[in-house]
Amino acid sequence: MLYSDSGLAIDPAIQSCELEACLELGRLDGSVAMCPPTVRQLLALRSLRNLLVSALAGEGHEFTEHRFHAWFAGLATLSDEPALGKRDPRAICETILTELGHSSWHELADIAPRFKRALLAPAAPCGLGGRSGTDHIDIRKIIDGAHGLVNQLPPSPHPLADLRQVHVSLGESLLFAPAEPHYQTVLLGPRNVTVERHAPPPRWAVEMVWGERWQRSGNLSVALPFPGLIRADAVNTITSIDPSDWCAARGMIAMALRDVTHRLRQSIVDAGAACKRIEALQADRRASSRAPALLELLDGFGALRSSQIEILLDATRLGVRAILSGLLDSGIVARIKLSGVWLFGTTLSMRQLYPVSCNASGGFAFSPAAIGEYDESMADIDRLLARYEHGAADTD
């Protein structure tokens, strides 16, 4: 059912997108409500990981998923780039995990404190963009601001009308509206170059708490986080006096809801398939084995080191070593060494974090997809250097 607003005629394509978005939301709620406990647990793990990644990216940090897990395990920095002007990523994750511990979604509330204890990433050194002491306070204020903004919205029976209103409120908010650009001098080779920086508004916080609103209103049975739900371009145009801008913003909001709910539904499908694989593997093991719990962690969240697994499973070092040994021998778990420490990842997932294959010596061989991604990244760097060299030649 479409919602009416301002009496303007809506493009049929936008109407169609809105209908698809509402249909996807209904399907998502049905899928979540019908989830077996094991699938919902795996969904909670994936939702937690995706929210942390989305929040860090929303704060301006640039990294790959591989780098995120290495950083979370305390084996690398999150990025090779200096974190000038960015909040400490550890402070961001710690504060989010504390907040998720109070979620009405009990599976998420249960695992968040355990992952906070398993967060081994170092705090950013003071003076390099991390102000570890004050960043926790800043992130707490952002999350509280998101709760305040969402809670002050008037009740709305229609999810798209609700989203339209939150986009309007974000544009009027001092905390979440687009910030003015600032200029920063960076060293590029032998030259000092002034670049324009745009501090990204922390809209990830609204996406994190939005599911609580829809759970209370009856649109969802579970308070799912919704990374990607808020469209910056829609925030910028939703209050435009130009009817075409207003209609375009309405279409953007519908597309965001449609795409996010579709991804969440696909995550449920993938989680269900993974649970079936884990259950099938358990048939050949003793009933008391903790291997399924470990596979659930690795498939849901991603690669972990053994000391993190000890915390998350509340197991001894010898116990974790015994579980991993059997899973490694069977090929269900693979490992890679970083900074002298092994990171373990499952091979069960349909969407593997480390797309690798075993070579004849039992080690790792990167897949064609991974090599292609690396080559593409190197090509981007080459193009950037070429532009810089061309510009330098013009000024010499």
Side-chain angles (χ1 to χ4, degrees):
M1 179 178 176
L2 300 178
Y3 74 97
S4 59
D5 195 2
S6 78
L8 291 176
I10 305 299
D11 186 280
I14 294 178
Q15 291 182 345
S16 177
C17 186
E18 290 182 338
L19 288 172
E20 289 178 17
C22 292
L23 181 60
E24 285 289 344
L25 180 60
R27 287 172 173 167
L28 172 64
D29 186 45
S31 297
V32 173
M34 296 297 291
C35 271
T38 53
V39 176
R40 191 175 293 197
Q41 178 71 17
L42 200 52
L43 177 63
L45 286 164
R46 294 184 178 202
S47 296
L48 182 143
R49 188 270 313 278
N50 291 341
L51 180 61
L52 294 179
V53 168
S54 176
L56 291 171
E59 285 289 313
H61 294 280
E62 299 178 1
F63 56 95
T64 63
E65 282 204 40
H66 182 131
R67 191 63 171 262
F68 167 77
H69 288 283
W71 169 80
F72 201 91
L75 303 178
T77 58
L78 185 61
S79 173
D80 290 329
E81 298 298 322
L84 296 173
K86 300 172 186 175
R87 297 181 183 92
D88 177 15
R90 181 184 172 94
I92 295 169
C93 289
E94 282 184 328
T95 312
I96 289 174
L97 291 169
T98 298
E99 174 65 22
L100 294 180
H102 304 290
S103 172
S104 64
W105 182 8
H106 67 87
E107 285 94 351
L108 188 60
D110 177 63
I111 63 173
R114 288 188 283 150
F115 272 93
K116 184 178 178 181
R117 295 194 298 272
L119 173 59
L120 303 182
C126 295
L128 292 179
R131 302 158 299 166
S132 234
T134 60
D135 283 348
H136 282 89
I137 299 173
D138 289 346
I139 297 299
R140 184 69 256 172
K141 288 180 178 177
I142 288 170
I143 294 175
D144 290 342
H147 278 295
L149 184 144
V150 170
N151 291 337
Q152 60 84 32
L153 295 175
S156 174
H158 199 294
L160 286 170
D162 217 13
L163 283 176
R164 179 192 181 279
Q165 188 55 52
V166 76
H167 278 78
V168 171
S169 297
L170 285 169
E172 297 170 348
S173 168
L174 294 177
L175 180 59
F176 296 103
E180 293 294 327
H182 64 279
Y183 297 90
Q184 181 180 354
T185 300
V186 297
L187 184 64
L188 186 60
R191 299 170 182 271
N192 287 323
V193 179
T194 300
V195 295
E196 182 178 287
R197 299 284 193 190
H198 294 265
R203 299 192 186 106
W204 56 264
V206 176
E207 296 170 342
M208 178 177 72
V209 305
W210 188 255
E212 296 284 353
R213 176 177 176 85
W214 275 355
Q215 192 273 334
R216 292 192 299 268
S217 68
N219 283 318
L220 283 174
S221 54
V222 168
L224 294 166
F226 277 87
L229 185 64
I230 303 300
R231 287 283 297 259
D233 43 5
V235 171
N236 295 334
T237 58
I238 193 69
T239 56
S240 172
I241 60 174
D242 186 337
S244 63
D245 286 342
W246 179 88
C247 289
R250 184 163 167 164
M252 296 170 196
I253 292 170
M255 284 189 288
L257 177 59
R258 180 196 63 191
D259 295 344
V260 169
T261 50
H262 179 76
R263 285 196 298 270
L264 285 169
R265 223 163 43 88
Q266 185 59 50
S267 184
I268 294 174
V269 172
D270 294 345
C275 285
K276 289 181 180 178
R277 295 192 191 94
I278 293 173
E279 184 179 352
L281 291 167
Q282 179 64 5
D284 298 329
R285 298 175 180 273
R286 56 188 175 86
S288 60
S289 172
R290 304 195 67 183
L294 174 55
L295 290 174
E296 182 182 88
L297 285 172
L298 297 180
D299 187 85
F301 185 81
L304 297 164
R305 60 191 289 185
S306 60
S307 58
Q308 291 175 298
I309 296 170
E310 293 167 24
I311 296 169
L312 293 166
L313 291 183
D314 192 20
T316 64
R317 181 177 299 180
L318 289 177
V320 169
R321 185 179 299 174
I323 300 170
L324 286 171
S325 177
L327 293 174
L328 286 167
D329 289 343
S330 62
I332 303 169
V333 165
R335 64 182 183 176
I336 186 171
K337 183 172 283 189
L338 295 174
S339 303
V341 177
W342 290 111
L343 270 183
F344 299 91
T346 178
T347 59
L348 288 173
S349 179
M350 296 173 66
R351 180 177 179 272
Q352 295 182 25
L353 174 63
Y354 301 108
V356 298
S357 58
C358 292
N359 58 26
S361 62
F364 277 118
F366 284 101
S367 68
I371 295 173
E373 182 179 350
Y374 174 80
D375 289 341
E376 185 177 349
S377 299
M378 294 303 297
D380 288 340
I381 295 172
D382 290 339
R383 285 192 291 270
L384 177 63
L385 292 174
R387 287 199 300 271
Y388 168 69
E389 292 171 358
H390 180 69
D394 291 342
T395 57
D396 288 344

